[in-house]
Amino acid sequence: MTVHRRVYLNVTALRRSSTGELIPYSLEWEGRIYKISKVLDSRNGKSFKQKVNAQRFNCICEGTKLQLFFEDGGFRNQRFYIEVEDNCICE
């Protein structure tokens, strides 16, 4: 069985004032900034691997599809993360 863990990322996101919609623009991974070229889908629900309530963004970043999650834990506890296999050396 593959075990996944969350890796928290620095993400630049915009919030549309008219709708309140959150739109991720870029993410930082291992000291490099990657532009998110397109958000394909955004929906509230649980992450697939860890079953945590989060807003899930299906994105295209540098030509690769990825799932980016937004965890809203209230004031000063709002974070973006991705899910990676536990044996991955990512941090």
Side-chain angles (χ1 to χ4, degrees):
M1 178 176 154
T2 304
V3 177
H4 290 81
R5 65 183 170 93
R6 289 184 242 172
V7 175
Y8 291 96
L9 304 171
N10 291 322
V11 174
T12 301
L14 308 171
R15 187 173 294 277
R16 290 189 180 162
S17 60
S18 61
T19 63
E21 178 183 18
L22 186 65
I23 304 166
Y25 178 74
S26 65
L27 60 89
E28 183 179 345
W29 178 265
E30 296 181 339
R32 184 171 168 215
I33 296 175
Y34 297 90
K35 185 177 183 317
I36 296 171
S37 55
K38 187 171 187 175
V39 176
L40 302 171
D41 182 40
S42 170
R43 60 184 67 199
N44 291 322
K46 293 184 183 274
S47 63
F48 290 121
K49 312 291 190 287
Q50 294 191 344
K51 306 298 185 210
V52 175
N53 284 328
Q55 184 172 2
R56 184 177 69 235
F57 297 90
N58 290 311
C59 305
I60 296 179
C61 181
E62 302 279 323
T64 302
K65 285 185 181 180
L66 67 91
Q67 290 187 334
L68 181 65
F69 299 91
F70 178 69
E71 178 180 78
D72 189 354
F75 184 67
R76 292 190 181 198
N77 195 21
Q78 299 173 327
R79 305 183 287 182
F80 282 93
Y81 67 92
I82 58 173
E83 294 176 326
V84 297
E85 288 186 23
D86 199 29
N87 61 0
C88 178
I89 300 172
C90 303
E91 299 181 272

